[in-house]
PDB file of all heavy atoms in Angstrom:
ATOM      1  N   GLY A   1     -10.038 -28.661  50.927  1.00 95.00           N
ATOM      2  CA  GLY A   1      -9.300 -28.470  49.570  1.00 95.00           C
ATOM      3  C   GLY A   1      -9.148 -29.719  48.688  1.00 95.00           C
ATOM      4  O   GLY A   1      -8.491 -29.579  47.653  1.00 95.00           O
ATOM      5  N   THR A   2      -9.646 -30.776  49.084  1.00 97.00           N
ATOM      6  CA  THR A   2      -9.546 -32.058  48.347  1.00 97.00           C
ATOM      7  C   THR A   2     -10.525 -31.907  47.134  1.00 97.00           C
ATOM      8  O   THR A   2     -11.750 -31.539  47.274  1.00 97.00           O
ATOM      9  CB  THR A   2      -9.953 -33.336  49.115  1.00 97.00           C
ATOM     10  OG1 THR A   2      -8.818 -33.525  50.117  1.00 97.00           O
ATOM     11  CG2 THR A   2      -9.945 -34.554  48.243  1.00 97.00           C
ATOM     12  N   LEU A   3      -9.973 -32.230  45.965  1.00 98.00           N
ATOM     13  CA  LEU A   3     -10.848 -32.100  44.665  1.00 98.00           C
ATOM     14  C   LEU A   3     -11.281 -33.529  44.336  1.00 98.00           C
ATOM     15  O   LEU A   3     -10.477 -34.441  44.231  1.00 98.00           O
ATOM     16  CB  LEU A   3      -9.986 -31.516  43.534  1.00 98.00           C
ATOM     17  CG  LEU A   3     -10.697 -31.361  42.229  1.00 98.00           C
ATOM     18  CD1 LEU A   3     -10.237 -30.048  41.570  1.00 98.00           C
ATOM     19  CD2 LEU A   3     -10.445 -32.633  41.222  1.00 98.00           C
ATOM     20  N   LEU A   4     -12.590 -33.606  44.108  1.00 98.00           N
ATOM     21  CA  LEU A   4     -13.196 -34.861  43.611  1.00 98.00           C
ATOM     22  C   LEU A   4     -14.026 -34.580  42.430  1.00 98.00           C
ATOM     23  O   LEU A   4     -14.508 -33.425  42.288  1.00 98.00           O
ATOM     24  CB  LEU A   4     -14.058 -35.422  44.809  1.00 98.00           C
ATOM     25  CG  LEU A   4     -13.303 -35.777  46.104  1.00 98.00           C
ATOM     26  CD1 LEU A   4     -14.274 -36.144  47.226  1.00 98.00           C
ATOM     27  CD2 LEU A   4     -12.388 -36.802  45.931  1.00 98.00           C
ATOM     28  N   GLY A   5     -14.259 -35.551  41.650  1.00 98.00           N
ATOM     29  CA  GLY A   5     -15.083 -35.350  40.394  1.00 98.00           C
ATOM     30  C   GLY A   5     -15.098 -36.474  39.552  1.00 98.00           C
ATOM     31  O   GLY A   5     -14.776 -37.669  39.896  1.00 98.00           O
ATOM     32  N   GLN A   6     -15.566 -36.141  38.355  1.00 98.00           N
ATOM     33  CA  GLN A   6     -15.663 -37.302  37.332  1.00 98.00           C
ATOM     34  C   GLN A   6     -15.402 -36.747  35.978  1.00 98.00           C
ATOM     35  O   GLN A   6     -15.850 -35.649  35.539  1.00 98.00           O
ATOM     36  CB  GLN A   6     -17.167 -37.718  37.401  1.00 98.00           C
ATOM     37  CG  GLN A   6     -17.551 -38.850  36.490  1.00 98.00           C
ATOM     38  CD  GLN A   6     -18.937 -39.454  36.778  1.00 98.00           C
ATOM     39  OE1 GLN A   6     -19.150 -40.394  37.509  1.00 98.00           O
ATOM     40  NE2 GLN A   6     -19.938 -38.860  36.208  1.00 98.00           N
ATOM     41  N   GLN A   7     -14.490 -37.453  35.311  1.00 98.00           N
ATOM     42  CA  GLN A   7     -14.079 -37.062  33.913  1.00 98.00           C
ATOM     43  C   GLN A   7     -14.764 -37.953  32.938  1.00 98.00           C
ATOM     44  O   GLN A   7     -14.650 -39.176  32.922  1.00 98.00           O
ATOM     45  CB  GLN A   7     -12.608 -37.172  33.807  1.00 98.00           C
ATOM     46  CG  GLN A   7     -12.110 -36.752  32.428  1.00 98.00           C
ATOM     47  CD  GLN A   7     -10.615 -36.561  32.425  1.00 98.00           C
ATOM     48  OE1 GLN A   7     -10.000 -35.674  32.896  1.00 98.00           O
ATOM     49  NE2 GLN A   7      -9.913 -37.585  31.762  1.00 98.00           N
ATOM     50  N   ILE A   8     -15.442 -37.254  31.944  1.00 98.00           N
ATOM     51  CA  ILE A   8     -16.225 -38.061  30.947  1.00 98.00           C
ATOM     52  C   ILE A   8     -15.405 -38.059  29.570  1.00 98.00           C
ATOM     53  O   ILE A   8     -15.016 -36.942  29.173  1.00 98.00           O
ATOM     54  CB  ILE A   8     -17.583 -37.380  30.711  1.00 98.00           C
ATOM     55  CG1 ILE A   8     -18.353 -37.259  31.975  1.00 98.00           C
ATOM     56  CG2 ILE A   8     -18.399 -38.062  29.608  1.00 98.00           C
ATOM     57  CD1 ILE A   8     -18.726 -38.560  32.643  1.00 98.00           C
ATOM     58  N   THR A   9     -15.191 -39.243  29.033  1.00 98.00           N
ATOM     59  CA  THR A   9     -14.555 -39.316  27.768  1.00 98.00           C
ATOM     60  C   THR A   9     -15.232 -40.267  26.837  1.00 98.00           C
ATOM     61  O   THR A   9     -15.944 -41.320  27.310  1.00 98.00           O
ATOM     62  CB  THR A   9     -13.146 -39.854  27.991  1.00 98.00           C
ATOM     63  OG1 THR A   9     -13.181 -41.066  28.725  1.00 98.00           O
ATOM     64  CG2 THR A   9     -12.299 -38.882  28.774  1.00 98.00           C
ATOM     65  N   PRO A  10     -15.252 -40.048  25.571  1.00 98.00           N
ATOM     66  CA  PRO A  10     -15.961 -40.956  24.601  1.00 98.00           C
ATOM     67  C   PRO A  10     -15.041 -42.168  24.396  1.00 98.00           C
ATOM     68  O   PRO A  10     -13.883 -42.248  24.659  1.00 98.00           O
ATOM     69  CB  PRO A  10     -15.990 -40.107  23.292  1.00 98.00           C
ATOM     70  CG  PRO A  10     -14.791 -39.289  23.358  1.00 98.00           C
ATOM     71  CD  PRO A  10     -14.558 -38.944  24.805  1.00 98.00           C
ATOM     72  N   LEU A  11     -15.711 -43.215  24.022  1.00 98.00           N
ATOM     73  CA  LEU A  11     -14.896 -44.461  23.476  1.00 98.00           C
ATOM     74  C   LEU A  11     -14.182 -44.126  22.328  1.00 98.00           C
ATOM     75  O   LEU A  11     -14.537 -43.068  21.472  1.00 98.00           O
ATOM     76  CB  LEU A  11     -15.948 -45.615  23.075  1.00 98.00           C
ATOM     77  CG  LEU A  11     -16.968 -46.055  24.227  1.00 98.00           C
ATOM     78  CD1 LEU A  11     -17.740 -47.228  23.794  1.00 98.00           C
ATOM     79  CD2 LEU A  11     -16.201 -46.371  25.526  1.00 98.00           C
ATOM     80  N   ASP A  12     -13.058 -44.770  22.131  1.00 98.00           N
ATOM     81  CA  ASP A  12     -12.223 -44.338  20.848  1.00 98.00           C
ATOM     82  C   ASP A  12     -12.830 -44.863  19.577  1.00 98.00           C
ATOM     83  O   ASP A  12     -12.859 -44.204  18.567  1.00 98.00           O
ATOM     84  CB  ASP A  12     -10.820 -44.995  20.990  1.00 98.00           C
ATOM     85  CG  ASP A  12     -10.007 -44.383  22.107  1.00 98.00           C
ATOM     86  OD1 ASP A  12     -10.296 -43.196  22.384  1.00 98.00           O
ATOM     87  OD2 ASP A  12      -9.011 -45.009  22.612  1.00 98.00           O
ATOM     88  N   ARG A  13     -13.305 -46.171  19.600  1.00 98.00           N
ATOM     89  CA  ARG A  13     -13.814 -46.722  18.342  1.00 98.00           C
ATOM     90  C   ARG A  13     -14.991 -47.797  18.698  1.00 98.00           C
ATOM     91  O   ARG A  13     -14.769 -48.634  19.609  1.00 98.00           O
ATOM     92  CB  ARG A  13     -12.706 -47.541  17.665  1.00 98.00           C
ATOM     93  CG  ARG A  13     -12.979 -48.256  16.299  1.00 98.00           C
ATOM     94  CD  ARG A  13     -11.796 -48.994  15.818  1.00 98.00           C
ATOM     95  NE  ARG A  13     -10.628 -48.240  15.523  1.00 98.00           N
ATOM     96  CZ  ARG A  13      -9.423 -48.459  15.994  1.00 98.00           C
ATOM     97  NH1 ARG A  13      -9.294 -49.356  16.952  1.00 98.00           N
ATOM     98  NH2 ARG A  13      -8.416 -47.727  15.687  1.00 98.00           N
ATOM     99  N   VAL A  14     -15.974 -47.731  17.897  1.00 98.00           N
ATOM    100  CA  VAL A  14     -17.106 -48.666  18.156  1.00 98.00           C
ATOM    101  C   VAL A  14     -17.471 -49.365  16.743  1.00 98.00           C
ATOM    102  O   VAL A  14     -17.181 -48.817  15.748  1.00 98.00           O
ATOM    103  CB  VAL A  14     -18.346 -47.968  18.653  1.00 98.00           C
ATOM    104  CG1 VAL A  14     -18.114 -47.265  20.001  1.00 98.00           C
ATOM    105  CG2 VAL A  14     -18.916 -46.951  17.650  1.00 98.00           C
ATOM    106  N   GLY A  15     -18.101 -50.587  16.910  1.00 98.00           N
ATOM    107  CA  GLY A  15     -18.550 -51.230  15.789  1.00 98.00           C
ATOM    108  C   GLY A  15     -20.171 -51.444  15.848  1.00 98.00           C
ATOM    109  O   GLY A  15     -20.604 -51.666  16.906  1.00 98.00           O
ATOM    110  N   ILE A  16     -20.764 -51.239  14.750  1.00 98.00           N
ATOM    111  CA  ILE A  16     -22.246 -51.418  14.679  1.00 98.00           C
ATOM    112  C   ILE A  16     -22.495 -52.526  13.708  1.00 98.00           C
ATOM    113  O   ILE A  16     -22.039 -52.545  12.572  1.00 98.00           O
ATOM    114  CB  ILE A  16     -22.935 -50.170  14.351  1.00 98.00           C
ATOM    115  CG1 ILE A  16     -22.733 -49.568  13.035  1.00 98.00           C
ATOM    116  CG2 ILE A  16     -22.639 -49.003  15.469  1.00 98.00           C
ATOM    117  CD1 ILE A  16     -23.517 -48.442  12.670  1.00 98.00           C
ATOM    118  N   TYR A  17     -23.393 -53.444  14.097  1.00 97.00           N
ATOM    119  CA  TYR A  17     -23.777 -54.453  13.326  1.00 97.00           C
ATOM    120  C   TYR A  17     -25.128 -54.135  12.740  1.00 97.00           C
ATOM    121  O   TYR A  17     -26.102 -53.790  13.430  1.00 97.00           O
ATOM    122  CB  TYR A  17     -23.943 -55.862  14.109  1.00 97.00           C
ATOM    123  CG  TYR A  17     -24.165 -57.041  13.151  1.00 97.00           C
ATOM    124  CD1 TYR A  17     -23.067 -57.855  12.765  1.00 97.00           C
ATOM    125  CD2 TYR A  17     -25.438 -57.316  12.688  1.00 97.00           C
ATOM    126  CE1 TYR A  17     -23.347 -58.923  11.982  1.00 97.00           C
ATOM    127  CE2 TYR A  17     -25.589 -58.434  11.814  1.00 97.00           C
ATOM    128  CZ  TYR A  17     -24.558 -59.208  11.468  1.00 97.00           C
ATOM    129  OH  TYR A  17     -24.804 -60.254  10.610  1.00 97.00           O
ATOM    130  N   VAL A  18     -25.381 -54.365  11.369  1.00 95.00           N
ATOM    131  CA  VAL A  18     -26.546 -54.039  10.671  1.00 95.00           C
ATOM    132  C   VAL A  18     -26.952 -55.196   9.839  1.00 95.00           C
ATOM    133  O   VAL A  18     -26.100 -55.662   9.059  1.00 95.00           O
ATOM    134  CB  VAL A  18     -26.420 -52.726   9.761  1.00 95.00           C
ATOM    135  CG1 VAL A  18     -27.673 -52.399   9.035  1.00 95.00           C
ATOM    136  CG2 VAL A  18     -25.968 -51.581  10.672  1.00 95.00           C
ATOM    137  N   PRO A  19     -28.188 -55.708  10.002  1.00 88.00           N
ATOM    138  CA  PRO A  19     -28.569 -56.750   9.025  1.00 88.00           C
ATOM    139  C   PRO A  19     -28.544 -56.330   7.602  1.00 88.00           C
ATOM    140  O   PRO A  19     -28.747 -55.114   7.282  1.00 88.00           O
ATOM    141  CB  PRO A  19     -30.014 -57.015   9.592  1.00 88.00           C
ATOM    142  CG  PRO A  19     -30.163 -56.498  10.903  1.00 88.00           C
ATOM    143  CD  PRO A  19     -29.206 -55.347  10.862  1.00 88.00           C
ATOM    144  N   GLY A  20     -28.336 -57.268   6.672  1.00 78.00           N
ATOM    145  CA  GLY A  20     -28.232 -56.833   5.169  1.00 78.00           C
ATOM    146  C   GLY A  20     -29.024 -57.788   4.293  1.00 78.00           C
ATOM    147  O   GLY A  20     -29.812 -58.415   4.764  1.00 78.00           O
ATOM    148  N   GLY A  21     -28.603 -57.741   3.070  1.00 62.00           N
ATOM    149  CA  GLY A  21     -29.359 -58.528   2.131  1.00 62.00           C
ATOM    150  C   GLY A  21     -30.710 -57.953   1.807  1.00 62.00           C
ATOM    151  O   GLY A  21     -30.856 -56.742   1.697  1.00 62.00           O
ATOM    152  N   LYS A  22     -31.746 -58.769   1.724  1.00 60.00           N
ATOM    153  CA  LYS A  22     -33.043 -58.307   1.393  1.00 60.00           C
ATOM    154  C   LYS A  22     -33.637 -57.352   2.517  1.00 60.00           C
ATOM    155  O   LYS A  22     -34.442 -56.478   2.288  1.00 60.00           O
ATOM    156  CB  LYS A  22     -34.001 -59.459   1.178  1.00 60.00           C
ATOM    157  CG  LYS A  22     -33.672 -60.262  -0.095  1.00 60.00           C
ATOM    158  CD  LYS A  22     -34.717 -61.405  -0.240  1.00 60.00           C
ATOM    159  CE  LYS A  22     -34.383 -62.259  -1.535  1.00 60.00           C
ATOM    160  NZ  LYS A  22     -35.270 -63.302  -1.706  1.00 60.00           N
ATOM    161  N   ALA A  23     -33.159 -57.616   3.682  1.00 64.00           N
ATOM    162  CA  ALA A  23     -33.632 -56.739   4.814  1.00 64.00           C
ATOM    163  C   ALA A  23     -32.988 -55.332   4.664  1.00 64.00           C
ATOM    164  O   ALA A  23     -31.775 -55.247   4.342  1.00 64.00           O
ATOM    165  CB  ALA A  23     -33.219 -57.328   6.241  1.00 64.00           C
ATOM    166  N   ALA A  24     -33.728 -54.310   4.895  1.00 77.00           N
ATOM    167  CA  ALA A  24     -33.303 -52.979   4.842  1.00 77.00           C
ATOM    168  C   ALA A  24     -33.679 -52.197   6.125  1.00 77.00           C
ATOM    169  O   ALA A  24     -34.856 -51.945   6.278  1.00 77.00           O
ATOM    170  CB  ALA A  24     -33.911 -52.279   3.500  1.00 77.00           C
ATOM    171  N   TYR A  25     -32.647 -51.945   6.890  1.00 90.00           N
ATOM    172  CA  TYR A  25     -32.965 -51.270   8.180  1.00 90.00           C
ATOM    173  C   TYR A  25     -32.043 -50.039   8.384  1.00 90.00           C
ATOM    174  O   TYR A  25     -31.118 -49.995   9.141  1.00 90.00           O
ATOM    175  CB  TYR A  25     -32.660 -52.269   9.392  1.00 90.00           C
ATOM    176  CG  TYR A  25     -33.576 -53.382   9.384  1.00 90.00           C
ATOM    177  CD1 TYR A  25     -33.038 -54.629   9.216  1.00 90.00           C
ATOM    178  CD2 TYR A  25     -34.979 -53.221   9.625  1.00 90.00           C
ATOM    179  CE1 TYR A  25     -33.981 -55.842   9.131  1.00 90.00           C
ATOM    180  CE2 TYR A  25     -35.866 -54.461   9.629  1.00 90.00           C
ATOM    181  CZ  TYR A  25     -35.356 -55.596   9.477  1.00 90.00           C
ATOM    182  OH  TYR A  25     -36.143 -56.775   9.461  1.00 90.00           O
ATOM    183  N   PRO A  26     -32.271 -49.034   7.505  1.00 95.00           N
ATOM    184  CA  PRO A  26     -31.515 -47.725   7.587  1.00 95.00           C
ATOM    185  C   PRO A  26     -31.778 -47.112   8.968  1.00 95.00           C
ATOM    186  O   PRO A  26     -30.884 -46.488   9.494  1.00 95.00           O
ATOM    187  CB  PRO A  26     -32.076 -46.976   6.484  1.00 95.00           C
ATOM    188  CG  PRO A  26     -33.485 -47.456   6.224  1.00 95.00           C
ATOM    189  CD  PRO A  26     -33.268 -48.951   6.443  1.00 95.00           C
ATOM    190  N   SER A  27     -32.948 -47.313   9.561  1.00 96.00           N
ATOM    191  CA  SER A  27     -33.222 -46.793  10.914  1.00 96.00           C
ATOM    192  C   SER A  27     -32.225 -47.403  11.990  1.00 96.00           C
ATOM    193  O   SER A  27     -31.821 -46.654  12.823  1.00 96.00           O
ATOM    194  CB  SER A  27     -34.620 -47.014  11.251  1.00 96.00           C
ATOM    195  OG  SER A  27     -34.921 -48.456  11.317  1.00 96.00           O
ATOM    196  N   SER A  28     -31.813 -48.617  11.760  1.00 95.00           N
ATOM    197  CA  SER A  28     -30.982 -49.268  12.695  1.00 95.00           C
ATOM    198  C   SER A  28     -29.611 -48.584  12.644  1.00 95.00           C
ATOM    199  O   SER A  28     -28.859 -48.430  13.663  1.00 95.00           O
ATOM    200  CB  SER A  28     -30.906 -50.784  12.418  1.00 95.00           C
ATOM    201  OG  SER A  28     -30.006 -51.306  13.357  1.00 95.00           O
TER     202      SER A  28
END
């Protein structure tokens, strides 16, 4: 009767770094 498992949760907040200026990387 012992319950075992795994709970999946998302991260609360993330940051993404994107090169800018003359470089254009919308795909990134």
Side-chain angles (χ1 to χ4, degrees):
T2 293
L3 180 144
L4 301 171
Q6 187 169 264
Q7 180 169 286
I8 306 297
T9 54
L11 305 185
D12 289 338
R13 182 188 294 125
V14 301
I16 62 173
Y17 189 99
V18 178
K22 293 181 180 179
Y25 296 114
S27 59
S28 183

